[in-house]
Amino acid sequence: MASPASDTTAPVAILGGTFDPVHYGHLRLADEVRRALGLARLRLVPAGDPPHRGGPRASAADRLAMLKLAAEEFPGLVADPREIERGGKSYTVLTLEELRREAPQRPLLLVVGADAFLGFPTWHRWRRIFDLAHVVVVARPGVALAESLPPELRAQWRARITDDRSVLFSQPSGAIYEQPIEPQPISATQIRAQLARGAGGLPDVVRLLPPAVLAYIDRHRLYSA
């Protein structure tokens, strides 16, 4: 098995999202997964135009800037702007195809939350994702995810699930690996609602996102009512 610390053979791991705004729930989840899997780095990929929800409140440029500031607090997390720079709908399969062209044999890891994974069959060309990457499903401890899967996804789960972490380093794609983490009950929706209250909402969000991000939001007057 290749060393996860190797720059040329270690997996490329990505976690996508709107990050509107990025907060400690995103960051601690990503860092915990990175540490649990022994990865040198994990890329945070902000969606330019997310296909499964309405448009983000903050611009792509602002969300990327906040993500770069946040990543400075977590060595090993890196902001990757490719979906914003590519334009168009931010389909995950296109991002993985781009990464696969850059490194044809290198393992790719797509990190997704359990709720997002349940919706996989609604994703653009979702079956193709398994040809391109391993899928690391972030699950809450004690939650039996397999029992909730829709039939078409349950078939993929049964065929691909593994508890052997070495597969993520020795093969380029195709496995599903479940990684439990500590719950992070922080919501970007709730943060935006508090920020819309102005100064009165600040005490409720000050510990939920990095100080540099909060300062950026204040400086650029983001999420104000």
Coordinates of all heavy atoms in Angstrom, one line a residue, residues 8-15 37 39 43 80 82 92-111 128-136 167-177:
T8 N 2.8 12.0 -4.5 CA 2.6 11.5 -5.9 C 1.6 10.3 -5.9 O 1.1 10.0 -7.0 CB 3.9 11.1 -6.6 OG1 4.6 10.1 -5.9 CG2 4.8 12.3 -6.8
T9 N 1.5 9.6 -4.9 CA 0.6 8.4 -4.9 C -0.5 8.4 -3.9 O -1.4 7.6 -3.9 CB 1.5 7.1 -4.6 OG1 2.1 7.3 -3.3 CG2 2.6 7.0 -5.6
A10 N -0.5 9.4 -2.9 CA -1.6 9.4 -2.0 C -2.9 9.8 -2.7 O -2.9 10.5 -3.7 CB -1.3 10.5 -0.9
P11 N -4.0 9.4 -2.1 CA -5.3 9.7 -2.7 C -5.5 11.2 -2.7 O -5.1 12.0 -1.9 CB -6.3 9.1 -1.7 CG -5.6 8.0 -1.0 CD -4.2 8.5 -0.9
V12 N -6.3 11.6 -3.7 CA -6.8 13.0 -3.8 C -8.2 12.9 -3.2 O -9.1 12.2 -3.7 CB -6.9 13.5 -5.2 CG1 -7.6 14.9 -5.3 CG2 -5.5 13.6 -5.8
A13 N -8.4 13.6 -2.1 CA -9.7 13.6 -1.4 C -10.4 14.9 -1.5 O -9.7 16.0 -1.3 CB -9.5 13.2 0.1
I14 N -11.7 14.9 -1.8 CA -12.4 16.2 -2.0 C -13.7 16.1 -1.2 O -14.3 15.1 -1.0 CB -12.7 16.5 -3.4 CG1 -13.7 15.5 -4.0 CG2 -11.4 16.6 -4.2 CD1 -14.2 16.0 -5.4
L15 N -14.1 17.3 -0.7 CA -15.4 17.5 0.0 C -16.0 18.7 -0.7 O -15.5 19.8 -0.6 CB -15.3 17.6 1.5 CG -16.5 18.1 2.2 CD1 -17.6 17.0 2.2 CD2 -16.2 18.4 3.7
L37 N -8.4 9.0 8.2 CA -7.9 8.2 7.0 C -6.4 8.4 6.8 O -5.9 7.7 5.9 CB -8.7 8.7 5.7 CG -10.2 8.4 5.7 CD1 -10.8 8.9 4.4 CD2 -10.5 6.9 6.0
L39 N -4.7 11.1 5.8 CA -4.5 11.9 4.6 C -3.7 13.1 4.9 O -3.9 13.8 5.9 CB -5.8 12.3 3.9 CG -6.8 11.2 3.5 CD1 -8.1 11.8 3.1 CD2 -6.2 10.3 2.4
R43 N -9.2 18.4 0.0 CA -9.6 19.6 -0.7 C -11.0 19.9 -0.5 O -11.9 19.0 -0.6 CB -9.3 19.4 -2.2 CG -7.9 19.0 -2.6 CD -7.8 18.9 -4.1 NE -6.5 18.3 -4.5 CZ -6.0 18.3 -5.7 NH1 -6.7 18.8 -6.7 NH2 -4.8 17.8 -6.0
D80 N -10.1 24.4 -3.1 CA -9.9 24.1 -4.5 C -11.0 24.8 -5.3 O -12.2 24.5 -5.2 CB -10.0 22.6 -4.7 CG -9.7 22.1 -6.2 OD1 -9.9 22.9 -7.1 OD2 -9.2 21.0 -6.3
R82 N -11.8 24.8 -8.5 CA -12.1 24.3 -9.9 C -13.5 24.4 -10.3 O -13.8 24.7 -11.5 CB -11.5 22.9 -10.1 CG -12.2 21.8 -9.3 CD -11.6 20.5 -9.6 NE -10.2 20.4 -9.1 CZ -9.1 20.1 -9.9 NH1 -9.3 19.8 -11.2 NH2 -7.9 20.1 -9.4
T92 N -20.7 17.0 -9.6 CA -19.6 16.3 -9.0 C -18.9 15.4 -10.0 O -17.7 15.3 -10.0 CB -20.1 15.5 -7.8 OG1 -20.6 16.5 -6.8 CG2 -18.9 14.7 -7.2
V93 N -19.7 14.8 -10.9 CA -19.1 13.8 -11.8 C -18.1 14.6 -12.8 O -17.1 14.0 -13.2 CB -20.2 13.1 -12.6 CG1 -20.9 14.0 -13.6 CG2 -19.6 11.9 -13.4
L94 N -18.4 15.8 -13.1 CA -17.4 16.5 -14.0 C -16.2 16.9 -13.3 O -15.1 16.8 -13.8 CB -18.1 17.8 -14.5 CG -19.4 17.7 -15.3 CD1 -19.9 19.0 -15.8 CD2 -19.1 16.8 -16.5
T95 N -16.3 17.2 -12.0 CA -15.1 17.5 -11.2 C -14.2 16.2 -11.1 O -13.0 16.3 -11.2 CB -15.5 18.0 -9.8 OG1 -16.3 19.2 -9.9 CG2 -14.3 18.2 -8.9
L96 N -14.8 15.1 -10.8 CA -14.1 13.8 -10.7 C -13.5 13.4 -12.0 O -12.3 12.9 -12.1 CB -15.0 12.7 -10.2 CG -15.5 12.9 -8.8 CD1 -16.5 11.8 -8.4 CD2 -14.4 12.8 -7.8
E97 N -14.2 13.7 -13.1 CA -13.6 13.4 -14.5 C -12.4 14.2 -14.7 O -11.3 13.8 -15.3 CB -14.6 13.6 -15.6 CG -15.7 12.4 -15.6 CD -16.7 12.6 -16.6 OE1 -17.0 13.8 -17.0 OE2 -17.4 11.7 -17.0
E98 N -12.4 15.5 -14.3 CA -11.3 16.4 -14.4 C -10.1 15.9 -13.6 O -9.0 15.9 -14.1 CB -11.7 17.8 -14.0 CG -10.7 18.9 -14.2 CD -11.2 20.3 -13.8 OE1 -12.4 20.5 -14.1 OE2 -10.5 21.0 -13.3
L99 N -10.4 15.6 -12.4 CA -9.3 15.1 -11.5 C -8.7 13.7 -12.0 O -7.5 13.5 -12.0 CB -9.8 14.8 -10.1 CG -10.1 16.1 -9.3 CD1 -11.0 15.8 -8.1 CD2 -8.8 16.8 -8.9
R100 N -9.6 12.9 -12.6 CA -9.1 11.6 -13.1 C -8.2 11.9 -14.3 O -7.2 11.2 -14.5 CB -10.3 10.7 -13.5 CG -9.9 9.4 -14.1 CD -9.0 8.6 -13.2 NE -9.6 8.2 -11.9 CZ -8.9 7.9 -10.8 NH1 -7.6 8.1 -10.8 NH2 -9.5 7.5 -9.7
R101 N -8.5 12.8 -15.2 CA -7.6 13.1 -16.3 C -6.3 13.6 -15.8 O -5.2 13.4 -16.4 CB -8.3 14.2 -17.2 CG -9.4 13.7 -18.0 CD -9.8 14.7 -19.1 NE -10.4 15.9 -18.5 CZ -11.6 16.2 -18.3 NH1 -12.5 15.2 -18.5 NH2 -12.0 17.3 -17.8
E102 N -6.3 14.4 -14.7 CA -5.0 14.9 -14.2 C -4.1 13.8 -13.6 O -2.9 13.9 -13.6 CB -5.3 15.9 -13.1 CG -5.9 17.2 -13.6 CD -6.4 18.1 -12.5 OE1 -6.1 17.8 -11.3 OE2 -7.0 19.2 -12.8
A103 N -4.8 12.7 -13.1 CA -4.0 11.6 -12.4 C -4.8 10.3 -12.7 O -5.6 9.9 -11.9 CB -3.9 11.9 -10.9
P104 N -4.5 9.7 -13.9 CA -5.3 8.5 -14.3 C -5.3 7.3 -13.3 O -6.3 6.6 -13.3 CB -4.6 8.1 -15.6 CG -4.0 9.4 -16.1 CD -3.5 10.1 -14.9
Q105 N -4.2 7.1 -12.6 CA -4.2 5.9 -11.7 C -4.2 6.3 -10.2 O -4.2 5.4 -9.4 CB -2.9 5.1 -12.0 CG -2.9 4.6 -13.4 CD -4.1 3.7 -13.7 OE1 -4.5 2.9 -12.9 NE2 -4.6 3.8 -14.9
R106 N -4.2 7.5 -9.9 CA -4.2 7.9 -8.5 C -5.6 7.7 -7.8 O -6.6 8.0 -8.4 CB -3.8 9.4 -8.4 CG -3.4 9.8 -7.0 CD -2.8 11.2 -7.1 NE -2.3 11.7 -5.8 CZ -1.7 12.9 -5.7 NH1 -1.5 13.7 -6.7 NH2 -1.3 13.3 -4.5
P107 N -5.6 7.2 -6.6 CA -6.9 7.0 -6.0 C -7.6 8.4 -5.7 O -6.9 9.4 -5.4 CB -6.6 6.4 -4.6 CG -5.3 5.7 -4.9 CD -4.5 6.6 -5.8
L108 N -8.9 8.4 -6.0 CA -9.7 9.6 -5.7 C -10.7 9.2 -4.6 O -11.3 8.2 -4.7 CB -10.4 10.1 -7.0 CG -9.6 10.5 -8.2 CD1 -10.5 11.0 -9.3 CD2 -8.6 11.6 -7.8
L109 N -10.9 10.1 -3.7 CA -11.9 9.9 -2.6 C -12.9 11.1 -2.6 O -12.5 12.2 -2.5 CB -11.2 9.9 -1.3 CG -10.6 8.6 -0.7 CD1 -9.6 8.0 -1.7 CD2 -10.0 8.8 0.6
L110 N -14.1 10.7 -2.8 CA -15.2 11.7 -2.7 C -15.8 11.5 -1.3 O -16.4 10.5 -1.0 CB -16.3 11.5 -3.8 CG -17.5 12.3 -3.6 CD1 -17.2 13.8 -3.8 CD2 -18.6 11.9 -4.7
V111 N -15.7 12.6 -0.5 CA -16.3 12.5 0.9 C -17.7 13.2 0.8 O -17.8 14.3 0.3 CB -15.4 13.3 1.8 CG1 -16.0 13.3 3.2 CG2 -13.9 12.7 1.8
R128 N -21.7 6.8 -12.6 CA -20.4 7.0 -13.2 C -19.4 7.4 -12.0 O -18.2 7.2 -12.1 CB -20.4 8.1 -14.2 CG -19.1 8.7 -14.7 CD -18.4 7.7 -15.6 NE -17.2 8.4 -16.2 CZ -16.1 7.7 -16.5 NH1 -16.0 6.4 -16.3 NH2 -15.1 8.4 -17.1
I129 N -19.9 8.0 -11.0 CA -19.0 8.4 -9.9 C -18.2 7.2 -9.3 O -17.0 7.4 -9.0 CB -19.9 9.1 -8.7 CG1 -20.4 10.4 -9.2 CG2 -19.1 9.2 -7.5 CD1 -21.4 11.1 -8.3
F130 N -18.8 6.0 -9.3 CA -18.1 4.9 -8.7 C -17.0 4.4 -9.6 O -16.0 3.8 -9.2 CB -19.1 3.7 -8.5 CG -20.1 4.0 -7.4 CD1 -21.4 4.2 -7.8 CD2 -19.8 4.2 -6.1 CE1 -22.4 4.5 -6.8 CE2 -20.7 4.5 -5.1 CZ -22.1 4.6 -5.5
D131 N -17.1 4.7 -10.9 CA -16.0 4.4 -11.8 C -14.8 5.3 -11.6 O -13.7 5.0 -12.0 CB -16.4 4.5 -13.3 CG -17.5 3.5 -13.6 OD1 -17.5 2.4 -13.0 OD2 -18.4 3.8 -14.5
L132 N -15.1 6.5 -11.1 CA -14.0 7.6 -11.0 C -13.4 7.7 -9.6 O -12.3 8.1 -9.5 CB -14.7 8.9 -11.3 CG -15.2 9.0 -12.7 CD1 -16.1 10.3 -12.8 CD2 -14.1 9.1 -13.8
A133 N -14.1 7.3 -8.6 CA -13.7 7.6 -7.2 C -14.2 6.5 -6.2 O -15.2 5.8 -6.5 CB -14.1 9.0 -6.8
H134 N -13.5 6.4 -5.1 CA -14.1 5.8 -3.9 C -15.0 6.8 -3.3 O -14.8 8.0 -3.3 CB -13.0 5.4 -2.9 CG -12.0 4.5 -3.4 ND1 -12.3 3.2 -3.9 CD2 -10.6 4.6 -3.6 CE1 -11.2 2.6 -4.3 NE2 -10.1 3.5 -4.1
V135 N -16.1 6.3 -2.6 CA -17.0 7.2 -1.9 C -16.9 7.0 -0.4 O -17.1 5.9 0.0 CB -18.4 7.0 -2.4 CG1 -19.4 7.9 -1.6 CG2 -18.6 7.3 -3.9
V136 N -16.4 8.0 0.3 CA -16.3 7.9 1.8 C -17.6 8.6 2.3 O -17.8 9.8 2.2 CB -15.0 8.6 2.2 CG1 -15.0 8.6 3.8 CG2 -13.8 8.0 1.7
V167 N -7.9 -0.3 0.9 CA -8.5 -0.3 -0.5 C -8.5 1.1 -1.0 O -8.3 1.4 -2.2 CB -9.9 -0.9 -0.5 CG1 -10.6 -0.7 -1.8 CG2 -9.9 -2.4 -0.2
L168 N -8.7 2.1 -0.1 CA -8.7 3.5 -0.6 C -7.4 4.0 -1.1 O -7.3 5.0 -1.8 CB -9.2 4.4 0.6 CG -10.5 4.0 1.2 CD1 -10.8 5.0 2.4 CD2 -11.6 3.9 0.2
F169 N -6.3 3.3 -0.7 CA -5.0 3.7 -1.1 C -4.4 2.8 -2.2 O -3.5 3.2 -3.0 CB -4.0 3.6 0.1 CG -4.4 4.6 1.2 CD1 -5.2 4.2 2.2 CD2 -3.9 5.9 1.2 CE1 -5.6 5.1 3.2 CE2 -4.3 6.8 2.2 CZ -5.1 6.4 3.2
S170 N -4.9 1.6 -2.4 CA -4.3 0.6 -3.3 C -5.1 0.5 -4.6 O -4.5 0.0 -5.6 CB -4.3 -0.8 -2.7 OG -5.6 -1.2 -2.3
Q171 N -6.3 1.0 -4.7 CA -7.1 1.0 -5.9 C -7.6 2.4 -6.2 O -7.8 3.2 -5.3 CB -8.3 0.1 -5.7 CG -7.9 -1.4 -5.4 CD -9.1 -2.3 -5.2 OE1 -10.2 -1.9 -5.5 NE2 -8.9 -3.4 -4.5
P172 N -7.7 2.7 -7.5 CA -8.1 4.1 -7.9 C -9.5 4.5 -7.6 O -9.8 5.7 -7.4 CB -7.8 4.1 -9.4 CG -7.9 2.7 -9.8 CD -7.4 1.9 -8.7
S173 N -10.5 3.5 -7.5 CA -11.9 3.9 -7.4 C -12.7 2.7 -7.1 O -12.2 1.5 -7.1 CB -12.4 4.5 -8.7 OG -12.3 3.6 -9.8
G174 N -14.0 2.9 -6.9 CA -14.9 1.8 -6.9 C -15.5 1.4 -5.5 O -16.5 0.7 -5.5
A175 N -14.9 1.7 -4.4 CA -15.3 1.2 -3.1 C -16.2 2.3 -2.4 O -16.1 3.5 -2.7 CB -14.1 0.9 -2.2
I176 N -17.0 1.8 -1.5 CA -17.7 2.6 -0.6 C -17.2 2.3 0.8 O -17.1 1.2 1.2 CB -19.2 2.4 -0.6 CG1 -19.8 2.7 -2.0 CG2 -19.9 3.3 0.5 CD1 -21.3 2.3 -2.1
Y177 N -16.8 3.4 1.6 CA -16.2 3.2 2.9 C -17.0 4.2 3.8 O -17.2 5.3 3.5 CB -14.7 3.6 2.9 CG -14.0 3.4 4.2 CD1 -13.5 2.2 4.5 CD2 -13.9 4.5 5.1 CE1 -12.8 2.0 5.7 CE2 -13.2 4.3 6.2 CZ -12.6 3.1 6.6 OH -11.9 2.9 7.7

